[in-house]
Amino acid sequence: MAKDLMIVRTEDLLYNPTNRVPIALCLDASGSMSGAPMQELNEGVRLFFEALQADPIAKASAEVAIVSFADEAETVLDFQGLERVAQPPVMTSTGGSTSLGEGVNLALDLLETRKREYQKAGVDYFQPWLVLMTDGQPTSSAHAQAGPRVCEMEGQGKLVVFPIGIGSAADMSTLAMFSKKRDPLRLQGLNFRQFFEWLSKSVVRVSQSRPGEKLNLDLEGIKGWATLD
């Protein structure tokens, strides 16, 4: 991690000790996402950030990291205060492969690093969220190790997981490996905006609660953007 970013992340916790809601977006950037899918995904992510920044509590609490995966996994945006992110980075399709497992492992590593920073600074935090979105199937075997890692954290109450398939070619059986509590959902068409609108409202609700408090997600709202296979 660059020294300047480490200083920024430490200062964020020093000057803003609000309870944090860390969200890792792990997003498919393979070649099949090029064109309209990637454009709609970028627009959805932009609106997600806008919605969080428009709510004073969520703006102080939420931290979002973005990991993309194609031929390899890449950190597009690491965790930091939302006030430091004027606009989320624009993602592009970067290769033909789908390194899904590598992307998930990288996202979990970023979450674990940020959790240690919270603990060191004495800042409380809510269960981290992992949003996994893909339109195909993995082209490496790393998901066979990443899936159990995610499920173990989920089972220990250390992670909330949202596995989302994009389009008819998304491998829902693979996505099902990443949660034992939540079935994977298939996005209706390119309804990324509706999904991220729902996600932002859910994050706002969490940020207004207390760490450890059980919250029920808006299941009715899911019907506007997803189908359950």
Side-chain angles (χ1 to χ4, degrees):
M1 184 186 303
K3 183 178 179 180
D4 288 347
L5 179 57
M6 176 63 77
I7 293 172
V8 164
R9 286 154 60 99
T10 302
E11 288 180 347
D12 283 346
L13 300 178
L14 177 64
Y15 295 113
N16 174 19
T18 306
N19 298 335
R20 293 304 204 274
V21 186
I23 306 113
L25 305 179
C26 189
L27 308 175
D28 195 332
S30 58
S32 55
M33 286 290 294
S34 63
M38 185 58 70
Q39 292 172 8
E40 291 298 319
L41 176 58
N42 277 314
E43 180 64 8
V45 171
R46 184 186 69 79
L47 294 174
F48 177 55
F49 274 77
E50 277 191 3
L52 295 182
Q53 290 167 334
D55 182 271
I57 297 177
K59 183 176 182 178
S61 299
E63 293 190 341
V64 183
I66 302 174
V67 168
S68 67
F69 56 90
D71 288 341
E72 58 186 22
E74 177 184 0
T75 301
V76 178
L77 179 70
D78 208 341
F79 289 108
Q80 57 191 290
L82 283 178
E83 69 277 2
R84 298 184 184 275
V85 186
Q87 291 282 346
V90 175
M91 293 175 291
T92 58
S93 299
T94 57
S97 301
T98 306
S99 300
L100 187 151
E102 290 85 348
V104 170
N105 280 324
L106 176 55
L108 294 182
D109 290 345
L110 295 180
L111 279 170
E112 290 297 324
T113 297
R114 193 52 170 160
K115 283 165 56 179
R116 288 194 293 270
E117 292 171 357
Y118 294 154
Q119 293 160 358
K120 184 176 180 180
V123 171
D124 208 350
Y125 58 92
F126 299 86
Q127 276 184 308
W129 289 19
L130 172 67
V131 176
L132 173 59
M133 305 187 80
T134 182
D135 73 339
Q137 56 185 342
T139 52
S140 76
S141 60
H143 64 284
Q145 178 269 334
R149 181 184 177 190
V150 170
C151 290
E152 181 179 4
M153 294 176 65
E154 181 188 54
Q156 294 172 347
K158 296 180 179 179
L159 192 66
V160 179
V161 188
F162 298 93
I164 311 294
I166 304 166
S168 59
D171 187 343
M172 304 303 278
S173 61
T174 295
L175 283 171
M177 296 172 57
F178 289 90
S179 177
K180 293 184 177 180
K181 295 184 177 181
R182 186 168 286 109
D183 292 328
L185 296 169
R186 192 184 298 275
L187 198 70
Q188 295 178 5
L190 297 179
N191 286 352
F192 291 104
R193 301 184 195 191
Q194 292 88 332
F195 165 70
F196 282 107
E197 179 183 3
W198 174 87
L199 189 68
S200 64
K201 290 178 179 177
S202 301
V203 173
V204 168
R205 289 181 62 209
V206 170
S207 69
Q208 295 172 347
S209 65
R210 296 186 300 273
E213 181 179 345
K214 182 175 177 59
L215 289 177
N216 295 318
L217 297 175
D218 175 17
L219 299 181
E220 285 299 314
I222 290 176
K223 295 178 182 177
W225 54 267
T227 57
L228 180 62
D229 283 21

mmCIF file with all atom_site columns, all heavy atoms in Angstrom, residues 26 100-110 142-143 145-147 149-150:
data_model
loop_
_atom_site.group_PDB
_atom_site.id
_atom_site.type_symbol
_atom_site.label_atom_id
_atom_site.label_alt_id
_atom_site.label_comp_id
_atom_site.label_asym_id
_atom_site.label_entity_id
_atom_site.label_seq_id
_atom_site.pdbx_PDB_ins_code
_atom_site.Cartn_x
_atom_site.Cartn_y
_atom_site.Cartn_z
_atom_site.occupancy
_atom_site.B_iso_or_equiv
_atom_site.pdbx_formal_charge
_atom_site.auth_seq_id
_atom_site.auth_comp_id
_atom_site.auth_asym_id
_atom_site.auth_atom_id
_atom_site.pdbx_PDB_model_num
ATOM 1   N N   . CYS A 1 26  ? -16.918 -6.616  -5.695  1.00 0.00 ? 26  CYS A N   1
ATOM 2   C CA  . CYS A 1 26  ? -16.038 -7.487  -6.474  1.00 0.00 ? 26  CYS A CA  1
ATOM 3   C C   . CYS A 1 26  ? -16.723 -7.723  -7.818  1.00 0.00 ? 26  CYS A C   1
ATOM 4   O O   . CYS A 1 26  ? -17.693 -8.482  -7.912  1.00 0.00 ? 26  CYS A O   1
ATOM 5   C CB  . CYS A 1 26  ? -15.816 -8.797  -5.720  1.00 0.00 ? 26  CYS A CB  1
ATOM 6   S SG  . CYS A 1 26  ? -14.550 -9.866  -6.424  1.00 0.00 ? 26  CYS A SG  1
ATOM 7   N N   . LEU A 1 100 ? -12.389 -15.026 -11.148 1.00 0.00 ? 100 LEU A N   1
ATOM 8   C CA  . LEU A 1 100 ? -13.364 -14.742 -10.098 1.00 0.00 ? 100 LEU A CA  1
ATOM 9   C C   . LEU A 1 100 ? -12.808 -15.039 -8.715  1.00 0.00 ? 100 LEU A C   1
ATOM 10  O O   . LEU A 1 100 ? -12.911 -14.217 -7.797  1.00 0.00 ? 100 LEU A O   1
ATOM 11  C CB  . LEU A 1 100 ? -14.638 -15.552 -10.356 1.00 0.00 ? 100 LEU A CB  1
ATOM 12  C CG  . LEU A 1 100 ? -15.854 -15.304 -9.476  1.00 0.00 ? 100 LEU A CG  1
ATOM 13  C CD1 . LEU A 1 100 ? -17.136 -15.597 -10.254 1.00 0.00 ? 100 LEU A CD1 1
ATOM 14  C CD2 . LEU A 1 100 ? -15.822 -16.166 -8.220  1.00 0.00 ? 100 LEU A CD2 1
ATOM 15  N N   . GLY A 1 101 ? -12.229 -16.216 -8.527  1.00 0.00 ? 101 GLY A N   1
ATOM 16  C CA  . GLY A 1 101 ? -11.695 -16.577 -7.218  1.00 0.00 ? 101 GLY A CA  1
ATOM 17  C C   . GLY A 1 101 ? -10.597 -15.640 -6.762  1.00 0.00 ? 101 GLY A C   1
ATOM 18  O O   . GLY A 1 101 ? -10.540 -15.246 -5.585  1.00 0.00 ? 101 GLY A O   1
ATOM 19  N N   . GLU A 1 102 ? -9.723  -15.253 -7.690  1.00 0.00 ? 102 GLU A N   1
ATOM 20  C CA  . GLU A 1 102 ? -8.661  -14.302 -7.347  1.00 0.00 ? 102 GLU A CA  1
ATOM 21  C C   . GLU A 1 102 ? -9.256  -12.961 -6.920  1.00 0.00 ? 102 GLU A C   1
ATOM 22  O O   . GLU A 1 102 ? -8.754  -12.304 -5.995  1.00 0.00 ? 102 GLU A O   1
ATOM 23  C CB  . GLU A 1 102 ? -7.730  -14.105 -8.542  1.00 0.00 ? 102 GLU A CB  1
ATOM 24  C CG  . GLU A 1 102 ? -6.854  -15.314 -8.879  1.00 0.00 ? 102 GLU A CG  1
ATOM 25  C CD  . GLU A 1 102 ? -7.544  -16.333 -9.779  1.00 0.00 ? 102 GLU A CD  1
ATOM 26  O OE1 . GLU A 1 102 ? -8.775  -16.225 -9.973  1.00 0.00 ? 102 GLU A OE1 1
ATOM 27  O OE2 . GLU A 1 102 ? -6.860  -17.237 -10.278 1.00 0.00 ? 102 GLU A OE2 1
ATOM 28  N N   . GLY A 1 103 ? -10.339 -12.540 -7.609  1.00 0.00 ? 103 GLY A N   1
ATOM 29  C CA  . GLY A 1 103 ? -10.989 -11.285 -7.239  1.00 0.00 ? 103 GLY A CA  1
ATOM 30  C C   . GLY A 1 103 ? -11.570 -11.344 -5.846  1.00 0.00 ? 103 GLY A C   1
ATOM 31  O O   . GLY A 1 103 ? -11.420 -10.400 -5.045  1.00 0.00 ? 103 GLY A O   1
ATOM 32  N N   . VAL A 1 104 ? -12.234 -12.432 -5.513  1.00 0.00 ? 104 VAL A N   1
ATOM 33  C CA  . VAL A 1 104 ? -12.827 -12.578 -4.185  1.00 0.00 ? 104 VAL A CA  1
ATOM 34  C C   . VAL A 1 104 ? -11.744 -12.588 -3.113  1.00 0.00 ? 104 VAL A C   1
ATOM 35  O O   . VAL A 1 104 ? -11.867 -11.918 -2.074  1.00 0.00 ? 104 VAL A O   1
ATOM 36  C CB  . VAL A 1 104 ? -13.675 -13.856 -4.111  1.00 0.00 ? 104 VAL A CB  1
ATOM 37  C CG1 . VAL A 1 104 ? -14.096 -14.141 -2.669  1.00 0.00 ? 104 VAL A CG1 1
ATOM 38  C CG2 . VAL A 1 104 ? -14.909 -13.726 -5.007  1.00 0.00 ? 104 VAL A CG2 1
ATOM 39  N N   . ASN A 1 105 ? -10.671 -13.330 -3.341  1.00 0.00 ? 105 ASN A N   1
ATOM 40  C CA  . ASN A 1 105 ? -9.595  -13.372 -2.349  1.00 0.00 ? 105 ASN A CA  1
ATOM 41  C C   . ASN A 1 105 ? -8.975  -12.001 -2.131  1.00 0.00 ? 105 ASN A C   1
ATOM 42  O O   . ASN A 1 105 ? -8.674  -11.621 -0.994  1.00 0.00 ? 105 ASN A O   1
ATOM 43  C CB  . ASN A 1 105 ? -8.513  -14.374 -2.781  1.00 0.00 ? 105 ASN A CB  1
ATOM 44  C CG  . ASN A 1 105 ? -8.894  -15.801 -2.471  1.00 0.00 ? 105 ASN A CG  1
ATOM 45  O OD1 . ASN A 1 105 ? -9.526  -16.092 -1.457  1.00 0.00 ? 105 ASN A OD1 1
ATOM 46  N ND2 . ASN A 1 105 ? -8.505  -16.725 -3.348  1.00 0.00 ? 105 ASN A ND2 1
ATOM 47  N N   . LEU A 1 106 ? -8.796  -11.240 -3.204  1.00 0.00 ? 106 LEU A N   1
ATOM 48  C CA  . LEU A 1 106 ? -8.247  -9.892  -3.069  1.00 0.00 ? 106 LEU A CA  1
ATOM 49  C C   . LEU A 1 106 ? -9.211  -9.009  -2.277  1.00 0.00 ? 106 LEU A C   1
ATOM 50  O O   . LEU A 1 106 ? -8.787  -8.249  -1.390  1.00 0.00 ? 106 LEU A O   1
ATOM 51  C CB  . LEU A 1 106 ? -7.985  -9.287  -4.453  1.00 0.00 ? 106 LEU A CB  1
ATOM 52  C CG  . LEU A 1 106 ? -7.486  -7.837  -4.486  1.00 0.00 ? 106 LEU A CG  1
ATOM 53  C CD1 . LEU A 1 106 ? -6.231  -7.654  -3.647  1.00 0.00 ? 106 LEU A CD1 1
ATOM 54  C CD2 . LEU A 1 106 ? -7.238  -7.391  -5.931  1.00 0.00 ? 106 LEU A CD2 1
ATOM 55  N N   . ALA A 1 107 ? -10.508 -9.099  -2.575  1.00 0.00 ? 107 ALA A N   1
ATOM 56  C CA  . ALA A 1 107 ? -11.496 -8.292  -1.846  1.00 0.00 ? 107 ALA A CA  1
ATOM 57  C C   . ALA A 1 107 ? -11.488 -8.633  -0.360  1.00 0.00 ? 107 ALA A C   1
ATOM 58  O O   . ALA A 1 107 ? -11.552 -7.741  0.502   1.00 0.00 ? 107 ALA A O   1
ATOM 59  C CB  . ALA A 1 107 ? -12.886 -8.516  -2.440  1.00 0.00 ? 107 ALA A CB  1
ATOM 60  N N   . LEU A 1 108 ? -11.398 -9.918  -0.035  1.00 0.00 ? 108 LEU A N   1
ATOM 61  C CA  . LEU A 1 108 ? -11.358 -10.325 1.371   1.00 0.00 ? 108 LEU A CA  1
ATOM 62  C C   . LEU A 1 108 ? -10.079 -9.844  2.053   1.00 0.00 ? 108 LEU A C   1
ATOM 63  O O   . LEU A 1 108 ? -10.110 -9.440  3.224   1.00 0.00 ? 108 LEU A O   1
ATOM 64  C CB  . LEU A 1 108 ? -11.462 -11.845 1.477   1.00 0.00 ? 108 LEU A CB  1
ATOM 65  C CG  . LEU A 1 108 ? -12.785 -12.476 1.034   1.00 0.00 ? 108 LEU A CG  1
ATOM 66  C CD1 . LEU A 1 108 ? -12.731 -13.988 1.249   1.00 0.00 ? 108 LEU A CD1 1
ATOM 67  C CD2 . LEU A 1 108 ? -13.971 -11.881 1.787   1.00 0.00 ? 108 LEU A CD2 1
ATOM 68  N N   . ASP A 1 109 ? -8.962  -9.872  1.332   1.00 0.00 ? 109 ASP A N   1
ATOM 69  C CA  . ASP A 1 109 ? -7.709  -9.374  1.904   1.00 0.00 ? 109 ASP A CA  1
ATOM 70  C C   . ASP A 1 109 ? -7.812  -7.881  2.222   1.00 0.00 ? 109 ASP A C   1
ATOM 71  O O   . ASP A 1 109 ? -7.327  -7.419  3.273   1.00 0.00 ? 109 ASP A O   1
ATOM 72  C CB  . ASP A 1 109 ? -6.551  -9.621  0.933   1.00 0.00 ? 109 ASP A CB  1
ATOM 73  C CG  . ASP A 1 109 ? -6.196  -11.099 0.793   1.00 0.00 ? 109 ASP A CG  1
ATOM 74  O OD1 . ASP A 1 109 ? -6.633  -11.898 1.647   1.00 0.00 ? 109 ASP A OD1 1
ATOM 75  O OD2 . ASP A 1 109 ? -5.490  -11.444 -0.184  1.00 0.00 ? 109 ASP A OD2 1
ATOM 76  N N   . LEU A 1 110 ? -8.437  -7.116  1.321   1.00 0.00 ? 110 LEU A N   1
ATOM 77  C CA  . LEU A 1 110 ? -8.618  -5.684  1.576   1.00 0.00 ? 110 LEU A CA  1
ATOM 78  C C   . LEU A 1 110 ? -9.496  -5.464  2.802   1.00 0.00 ? 110 LEU A C   1
ATOM 79  O O   . LEU A 1 110 ? -9.220  -4.580  3.638   1.00 0.00 ? 110 LEU A O   1
ATOM 80  C CB  . LEU A 1 110 ? -9.251  -5.006  0.353   1.00 0.00 ? 110 LEU A CB  1
ATOM 81  C CG  . LEU A 1 110 ? -8.434  -4.984  -0.941  1.00 0.00 ? 110 LEU A CG  1
ATOM 82  C CD1 . LEU A 1 110 ? -9.224  -4.283  -2.041  1.00 0.00 ? 110 LEU A CD1 1
ATOM 83  C CD2 . LEU A 1 110 ? -7.096  -4.308  -0.738  1.00 0.00 ? 110 LEU A CD2 1
ATOM 84  N N   . ALA A 1 142 ? -9.341  -20.967 -8.621  1.00 0.00 ? 142 ALA A N   1
ATOM 85  C CA  . ALA A 1 142 ? -9.177  -20.269 -7.340  1.00 0.00 ? 142 ALA A CA  1
ATOM 86  C C   . ALA A 1 142 ? -10.483 -20.154 -6.571  1.00 0.00 ? 142 ALA A C   1
ATOM 87  O O   . ALA A 1 142 ? -10.474 -20.020 -5.343  1.00 0.00 ? 142 ALA A O   1
ATOM 88  C CB  . ALA A 1 142 ? -8.587  -18.876 -7.577  1.00 0.00 ? 142 ALA A CB  1
ATOM 89  N N   . HIS A 1 143 ? -11.626 -20.194 -7.277  1.00 0.00 ? 143 HIS A N   1
ATOM 90  C CA  . HIS A 1 143 ? -12.907 -20.085 -6.572  1.00 0.00 ? 143 HIS A CA  1
ATOM 91  C C   . HIS A 1 143 ? -13.150 -21.277 -5.649  1.00 0.00 ? 143 HIS A C   1
ATOM 92  O O   . HIS A 1 143 ? -13.908 -21.174 -4.685  1.00 0.00 ? 143 HIS A O   1
ATOM 93  C CB  . HIS A 1 143 ? -14.058 -19.978 -7.578  1.00 0.00 ? 143 HIS A CB  1
ATOM 94  C CG  . HIS A 1 143 ? -14.228 -21.191 -8.433  1.00 0.00 ? 143 HIS A CG  1
ATOM 95  N ND1 . HIS A 1 143 ? -13.388 -21.481 -9.486  1.00 0.00 ? 143 HIS A ND1 1
ATOM 96  C CD2 . HIS A 1 143 ? -15.142 -22.201 -8.393  1.00 0.00 ? 143 HIS A CD2 1
ATOM 97  C CE1 . HIS A 1 143 ? -13.769 -22.611 -10.055 1.00 0.00 ? 143 HIS A CE1 1
ATOM 98  N NE2 . HIS A 1 143 ? -14.826 -23.074 -9.414  1.00 0.00 ? 143 HIS A NE2 1
ATOM 99  N N   . GLN A 1 145 ? -11.140 -22.447 -3.543  1.00 0.00 ? 145 GLN A N   1
ATOM 100 C CA  . GLN A 1 145 ? -10.604 -22.083 -2.229  1.00 0.00 ? 145 GLN A CA  1
ATOM 101 C C   . GLN A 1 145 ? -11.299 -20.844 -1.687  1.00 0.00 ? 145 GLN A C   1
ATOM 102 O O   . GLN A 1 145 ? -11.553 -20.721 -0.481  1.00 0.00 ? 145 GLN A O   1
ATOM 103 C CB  . GLN A 1 145 ? -9.092  -21.833 -2.343  1.00 0.00 ? 145 GLN A CB  1
ATOM 104 C CG  . GLN A 1 145 ? -8.411  -21.400 -1.052  1.00 0.00 ? 145 GLN A CG  1
ATOM 105 C CD  . GLN A 1 145 ? -8.357  -19.890 -0.856  1.00 0.00 ? 145 GLN A CD  1
ATOM 106 O OE1 . GLN A 1 145 ? -8.376  -19.134 -1.845  1.00 0.00 ? 145 GLN A OE1 1
ATOM 107 N NE2 . GLN A 1 145 ? -8.336  -19.431 0.388   1.00 0.00 ? 145 GLN A NE2 1
ATOM 108 N N   . ALA A 1 146 ? -11.651 -19.916 -2.591  1.00 0.00 ? 146 ALA A N   1
ATOM 109 C CA  . ALA A 1 146 ? -12.271 -18.664 -2.149  1.00 0.00 ? 146 ALA A CA  1
ATOM 110 C C   . ALA A 1 146 ? -13.679 -18.889 -1.608  1.00 0.00 ? 146 ALA A C   1
ATOM 111 O O   . ALA A 1 146 ? -14.087 -18.240 -0.636  1.00 0.00 ? 146 ALA A O   1
ATOM 112 C CB  . ALA A 1 146 ? -12.310 -17.666 -3.310  1.00 0.00 ? 146 ALA A CB  1
ATOM 113 N N   . GLY A 1 147 ? -14.437 -19.814 -2.221  1.00 0.00 ? 147 GLY A N   1
ATOM 114 C CA  . GLY A 1 147 ? -15.803 -20.071 -1.769  1.00 0.00 ? 147 GLY A CA  1
ATOM 115 C C   . GLY A 1 147 ? -15.874 -20.495 -0.314  1.00 0.00 ? 147 GLY A C   1
ATOM 116 O O   . GLY A 1 147 ? -16.596 -19.875 0.488   1.00 0.00 ? 147 GLY A O   1
ATOM 117 N N   . ARG A 1 149 ? -13.691 -20.044 1.987   1.00 0.00 ? 149 ARG A N   1
ATOM 118 C CA  . ARG A 1 149 ? -13.196 -18.934 2.816   1.00 0.00 ? 149 ARG A CA  1
ATOM 119 C C   . ARG A 1 149 ? -14.308 -17.937 3.107   1.00 0.00 ? 149 ARG A C   1
ATOM 120 O O   . ARG A 1 149 ? -14.485 -17.500 4.247   1.00 0.00 ? 149 ARG A O   1
ATOM 121 C CB  . ARG A 1 149 ? -12.030 -18.238 2.100   1.00 0.00 ? 149 ARG A CB  1
ATOM 122 C CG  . ARG A 1 149 ? -11.417 -17.091 2.878   1.00 0.00 ? 149 ARG A CG  1
ATOM 123 C CD  . ARG A 1 149 ? -10.334 -16.391 2.066   1.00 0.00 ? 149 ARG A CD  1
ATOM 124 N NE  . ARG A 1 149 ? -9.784  -15.247 2.777   1.00 0.00 ? 149 ARG A NE  1
ATOM 125 C CZ  . ARG A 1 149 ? -8.961  -14.348 2.244   1.00 0.00 ? 149 ARG A CZ  1
ATOM 126 N NH1 . ARG A 1 149 ? -8.567  -14.483 0.965   1.00 0.00 ? 149 ARG A NH1 1
ATOM 127 N NH2 . ARG A 1 149 ? -8.523  -13.321 2.960   1.00 0.00 ? 149 ARG A NH2 1
ATOM 128 N N   . VAL A 1 150 ? -15.089 -17.606 2.072   1.00 0.00 ? 150 VAL A N   1
ATOM 129 C CA  . VAL A 1 150 ? -16.213 -16.686 2.245   1.00 0.00 ? 150 VAL A CA  1
ATOM 130 C C   . VAL A 1 150 ? -17.265 -17.290 3.177   1.00 0.00 ? 150 VAL A C   1
ATOM 131 O O   . VAL A 1 150 ? -17.756 -16.631 4.097   1.00 0.00 ? 150 VAL A O   1
ATOM 132 C CB  . VAL A 1 150 ? -16.840 -16.340 0.879   1.00 0.00 ? 150 VAL A CB  1
ATOM 133 C CG1 . VAL A 1 150 ? -18.160 -15.588 1.070   1.00 0.00 ? 150 VAL A CG1 1
ATOM 134 C CG2 . VAL A 1 150 ? -15.886 -15.502 0.049   1.00 0.00 ? 150 VAL A CG2 1
#
